[in-house]
Amino acid sequence: MKYKGLFLFLSGAGIALVLGWVVFPLALYRTEPQPLSFSHKAHTGQPASMSCDSCHEFAEDGRFLGIPVVDQCAVCHAEPVGKTAGEKRLVEEFVKPKREIPWKVYSRQPDNAWFSHTTHVKKGALKCEECHGDHGQSESLRPYQVNRISGYSRDIWGPNISGIPSQPRLDMKMDRCLGCHAEKNMSQGCISCHK
Amino acid sequence: MEQKNKARYGMVVDLDRCTGCGNCMMACAVENNLAPAEKKANDRTGITWMRVYAMNNGKAFPAAETVFVPMACQQCDKETPCIAVCPQNAVDRDPGSGIVGQVPQRCLGCRYCMTACPYHARYFNWSDPSWPAGMEKALNPDVAPRMRGVAEKCNFCHGRWHAARARAAAQGRSEPDPADYIPACVESCPSRAILFGNLDDAGSEVAKACQEGNCFRFLARLDTESKVYYRSAKPWVREMAEGNRMPSGKDGNLS
């Protein structure tokens, strides 16, 4: 056979590509369910039309309070709003017993990274969407994927398994921080952002 | 692009005020998540970012005198020895604050920096840190704990610096209020022996103090321009700081 070598090479390359691009990400990431379904759109859209910082608040001392505590949900959701099963679970399992909802945080950074939302939003005038994309407009929570080796969320590496950043950028790696800092002539020292 | 200094933080330690109580060592350990020393730990293997040494003038009573020297990273500004030798870029001088910052997660554990440091201010994690059960809950979330096999040192309480910068941003200021950024050792000193502040701010207490006549740096002849100054009215202390003769401790070593 004339093309035996070529055929073997192409089929080998094909298998390797499928393994690398399809099987490897499936093996690397484990999908974990969120404890409740949540629609950002229901909160930011009509009629509630809340802004990001109505729930994700900034404290006066410069801290960012992140995902709201269940008491904050209770301001509106002390009793079920609507008749869905999720709503009933929210009130009965979390709001009434005052148990915090164990959300899985897509953008949780490693322990040694320090990031001040206050500095970036108040002083740097960055919009939430610039790093978090259209998360605030999403109808439901997308699956939370965790790296089996590092334990970090897939959002840190970004959706593209090759590590080549997509445009607009969706990853949250250090080179993205550094790129923006270099562009805006902000601090490049390690200790500025590492704790 | 090299940034202009916004601040250059430094310290002045008044050795005539220091009583050697060790409060600074304790406060530092609590602030920076230093695990309690292991049973087998000794002077060489224990980790104390801030360590109080005792020096005496080697004379017999009644001429005997002792001073206590709180010694942390001296934050060398020029040709910083640990930066020069690190093969990993795990330590750098922050251009905005002058802080010589150690990033332990980058460290490969060669301990070159510990050899290079003229002040013995660097420490190595010979084993993973461990806290007595329940004590992990008291860890400071602003400082990442280190792991086995990496070097670490004083970063001028960078966790507090971060918090002060975030507070400044919340209040619309570009630089932290000096009152918001005080390292743990400075805050805990009962005899107010340590001053801390921006050396480039001519009005700050620390900038004035380091210009005074009895102020000196340890091993100034090495010309590393350390940002931790000491002061003492005793000439023998200043002479010893030059490193021309060994301080005499209990057994001829620094105790």
Side-chain angles (χ1 to χ4, degrees):
Chain A
M1 229 168 81
K2 198 179 167 192
Y3 295 111
K4 193 179 167 198
L6 184 69
F7 173 75
L8 276 176
F9 170 76
L10 284 180
S11 53
I15 292 169
L17 282 174
V18 169
L19 279 176
W21 290 93
V22 182
V23 181
F24 175 64
L26 287 176
L28 185 61
Y29 294 105
R30 181 175 65 234
T31 304
E32 290 182 355
Q34 290 282 5
L36 276 175
S37 59
F38 181 86
S39 165
H40 273 96
K41 186 139 200 173
H43 293 82
T44 53
Q46 294 298 331
S49 61
M50 295 157 89
S51 62
C52 301
D53 61 356
S54 318
C55 296
H56 304 291
E57 285 181 76
F58 294 92
E60 273 176 28
D61 65 356
R63 285 174 306 138
F64 176 65
L65 303 184
I67 292 188
V69 292
V70 77
D71 274 356
Q72 225 169 321
C73 307
V75 174
C76 300
H77 295 263
E79 293 300 327
V81 182
K83 285 184 179 144
T84 59
E87 190 64 40
K88 207 172 146 211
R89 267 191 65 214
L90 166 69
V91 173
E92 280 174 10
E93 286 182 30
F94 299 105
V95 173
K96 290 208 170 139
K98 293 206 172 195
R99 192 160 78 86
E100 291 306 329
I101 309 168
W103 296 115
K104 308 245 189 298
V105 186
Y106 298 109
S107 48
R108 170 86 70 226
Q109 288 284 336
D111 257 359
N112 69 324
W114 177 78
F115 178 85
S116 164
H117 279 87
T118 311
T119 311
H120 288 86
V121 175
K122 301 251 154 122
K123 234 174 80 190
L126 284 180
K127 294 208 164 54
C128 306
E129 293 81 15
E130 286 183 52
C131 298
H132 295 285
D134 55 1
H135 196 52
Q137 299 299 326
S138 58
E139 297 267 6
S140 62
L141 295 178
R142 60 205 157 79
Y144 174 82
Q145 290 184 300
V146 57
N147 185 313
R148 286 180 210 262
I149 298 168
S150 69
Y152 300 137
S153 160
R154 185 170 183 169
D155 283 43
I156 306 302
W157 180 261
N160 190 353
I161 197 71
S162 72
I164 300 165
S166 54
Q167 291 301 333
R169 288 191 77 157
L170 294 167
D171 62 294
M172 289 185 165
K173 292 197 297 266
M174 190 175 85
D175 69 329
R176 187 170 172 201
C177 302
L178 279 175
C180 195
H181 271 227
E183 224 168 77
K184 302 192 172 168
N185 198 18
M186 288 295 146
S187 173
Q188 299 275 326
C190 304
I191 206 77
S192 298
C193 311
H194 281 291
K195 60 186 192 187
Chain B
M1 189 185 305
E2 190 60 29
Q3 272 194 312
K4 210 177 144 281
N5 276 326
K6 288 181 189 158
R8 205 166 58 87
Y9 290 107
M11 245 178 211
V12 176
V13 186
D14 192 333
L15 298 181
D16 297 343
R17 275 175 173 248
C18 176
T19 62
C21 71
N23 238 13
C24 49
M25 292 172 68
M26 198 60 77
C28 171
V30 172
E31 171 71 22
N32 293 299
N33 294 337
L34 298 181
E38 290 178 354
K39 277 211 180 86
K40 57 176 198 263
N42 56 27
D43 275 3
R44 198 173 59 80
T45 59
I47 299 180
T48 47
W49 288 7
M50 168 66 98
R51 185 174 284 192
V52 180
Y53 292 97
M55 300 198 314
N56 64 48
N57 61 353
K59 289 184 182 156
F61 177 81
E65 281 181 346
T66 296
V67 291
F68 295 100
V69 185
M71 180 74 75
C73 169
Q74 303 289 296
Q75 305 283 346
C76 306
D77 238 0
K78 196 175 131 195
E79 316 257 333
T80 312
C82 53
I83 298 178
V85 300
C86 183
Q88 284 287 90
N89 270 349
V91 47
D92 75 337
R93 183 187 175 280
D94 184 77
S97 61
I99 298 175
V100 176
Q102 173 81 14
V103 181
Q105 288 76 10
R106 242 184 188 199
C107 173
L108 60 75
C110 71
R111 290 173 280 137
Y112 224 154
C113 56
M114 294 170 67
T115 316
C117 177
Y119 302 102
H120 289 221
R122 299 183 141 271
Y123 297 90
F124 188 69
N125 285 275
W126 290 95
S127 51
D128 273 318
S130 71
W131 283 270
M135 211 174 141
E136 332 71 67
K137 289 181 184 152
L139 289 179
N140 180 1
D142 295 336
V143 180
R146 281 72 52 188
M147 68 297 281
R148 178 183 58 202
V150 300
E152 59 182 65
K153 69 166 194 80
C154 159
N155 291 327
F156 269 170
C157 281
H158 57 307
R160 293 185 176 209
W161 178 51
H162 291 157
R165 276 161 58 209
R167 185 184 287 246
Q171 295 167 350
R173 284 180 284 112
S174 60
E175 283 307 303
D177 182 344
D180 281 343
Y181 176 34
I182 300 166
C185 54
V186 181
E187 188 181 61
S188 68
C189 180
S191 50
R192 298 263 178 277
I194 314 178
L195 297 175
F196 179 83
N198 181 0
L199 293 168
D200 281 352
D201 172 7
S204 72
E205 216 178 348
V206 70
K208 284 179 197 155
C210 77
Q211 300 295 333
E212 282 170 19
N214 56 9
C215 211
F216 60 92
R217 285 161 163 153
F218 266 81
L219 302 178
R221 68 198 155 94
L222 299 182
D223 203 22
T224 57
E225 297 190 1
S226 59
K227 293 192 285 294
V228 178
Y229 293 82
Y230 291 83
R231 62 178 169 182
S232 172
K234 300 183 176 94
W236 68 267
V237 177
R238 297 203 291 271
E239 186 195 320
M240 207 170 273
E242 285 298 318
N244 294 330
R245 84 181 165 89
M246 279 303 286
S248 35
K250 260 184 297 192
D251 41 10
N253 296 317
L254 290 169
S255 55

